[in-house]
Amino acid sequence: MTPQDQQQQSPIQSVAKETVKEENKIHLLLSYIGNILGLPLCIIPLVTVKDDDFVKWHAKNALVLYIAGFISAILTVVLIGLCGLAALLVVNIMALIKSLNGERWRIPLVSDLAEKF
């Protein structure tokens, strides 16, 4: 396999470099730094920059990354929440079964806290 073949099969492709205007560097920075901070700052270059396709291209990519991150965060919270609810359901069922069998099942942290009441 030649290096050219490997480059063509790469899922992440780099395009030829473009000259970045000094005044647009702040817009490029806003596009991606907002994602790191959890803010959709990429909207600023999308609205304010009209004449530079390079900046608009990066701002659009940053917006898609922001949306993907936002959806991922929501799904993570939902999954953790659902896992937490499932775990609570299992612990409650186990505690119910143990109580019906006349056992005291010490649940870590829960039993310690309950004894303080």
Side-chain angles (χ1 to χ4, degrees):
M1 191 176 250
T2 67
Q4 289 175 339
D5 292 338
Q6 289 176 344
Q7 189 177 26
Q8 289 175 350
Q9 291 180 350
S10 174
I12 299 175
Q13 295 182 356
S14 182
V15 185
K17 284 189 173 183
E18 296 184 35
T19 304
V20 180
K21 299 174 191 171
E22 286 298 317
E23 62 268 14
N24 287 334
K25 287 184 178 179
I26 189 71
H27 294 291
L28 295 170
L29 180 67
L30 281 173
S31 293
Y32 293 106
I33 200 77
N35 290 353
I36 295 168
L37 300 173
L39 302 168
L41 297 179
C42 53
I43 293 173
I44 296 170
L46 279 175
V47 173
T48 60
V49 176
K50 302 287 184 204
D51 60 343
D52 196 315
D53 290 336
F54 184 74
V55 172
K56 288 188 115 10
W57 188 89
H58 279 284
K60 289 175 184 177
N61 276 279
L63 180 61
V64 171
L65 284 173
Y66 177 80
I67 292 168
F70 186 76
I71 291 170
S72 295
I74 289 173
L75 290 175
T76 300
V77 168
V78 168
L79 287 174
I80 289 173
L82 289 175
C83 290
L85 289 174
L88 283 173
L89 179 64
V90 169
V91 169
N92 275 294
I93 291 171
M94 289 175 61
L96 174 64
I97 292 170
K98 297 237 183 226
S99 69
L100 292 175
N101 288 330
E103 298 177 50
R104 289 185 189 220
W105 181 44
R106 289 201 52 79
I107 305 167
L109 297 174
V110 173
S111 297
D112 296 334
L113 193 61
E115 288 172 355
K116 293 182 180 182
F117 287 171

